[in-house]
Amino acid sequence: MKKQLIILLLCLPSLGMWAQNAIAVHQQDGNVVKFAFEEKPVVTYVGDCLVLTTTKTMVEYPIFLLKKISFDVEDVAEAIPEVKADAQFSFRGETLTISGGEPFSHVYLYHLNGTIVGRYQLDSLGYATIHVSGLSRSIYIVKTNGFTFKFRKS
């Protein structure tokens, strides 16, 4: 995956003549997230995560959740959904609280090895409470629509 990305980024200047207007991140679950070139996307790797930063947002994707990265030639203005930027994640003791997310969207909790350890759904206000007391000591990844983050359970 890293070799493909390096080759993709090296070819970026020569591909301008084909009028691509976005980088598309294809996830294993079928979701595709597009980042317009006008937002100046920058792709980097931090540990086992792909980090995509633009002038408007920063998103972190665990590599094992990605299928591929490609250029997109669709009308990006219509294809990119607005990302809700006011979602918040917080811990209080052994409880993870998510607020301000997209109402009724799914929340997945993954162990670092890629196995799903929990499936949840935000309520009508975009809120969910996840108890992590039963989890073993490790690193976990929480994924919602448009937001991914990891935490360490100690």
Side-chain angles (χ1 to χ4, degrees), residues 85-142:
D86 55 352
Q88 296 180 355
F89 304 93
S90 62
F91 283 92
R92 177 168 281 161
E94 296 281 318
T95 303
L96 165 63
T97 301
I98 302 171
S99 61
E102 182 180 328
F104 303 110
S105 64
H106 294 281
V107 178
Y108 299 96
L109 180 61
Y110 295 90
H111 186 269
L112 187 60
N113 67 11
T115 58
I116 294 178
V117 295
R119 293 184 176 126
Y120 309 91
Q121 187 172 19
L122 299 178
D123 65 14
S124 62
L125 300 174
Y127 181 87
T129 301
I130 300 171
H131 299 284
V132 297
S133 58
L135 299 176
S136 61
R137 293 176 54 171
S138 188
I139 296 175
Y140 294 89
I141 298 159
V142 178

Side-chain angles (χ1 to χ4, degrees), residues 6-47:
I6 290 170
I7 292 169
L8 183 70
L9 293 176
L10 289 175
C11 295
L12 184 60
S14 64
L15 293 174
M17 65 184 166
W18 291 338
Q20 291 86 5
N21 36 3
I23 289 180
V25 177
H26 302 261
Q27 300 174 49
Q28 294 288 351
D29 62 6
N31 288 330
V32 178
V33 181
K34 299 175 185 178
F35 299 88
F37 285 146
E38 66 189 30
E39 294 176 14
K40 300 180 175 137
V42 175
V43 177
T44 56
Y45 285 94
V46 176

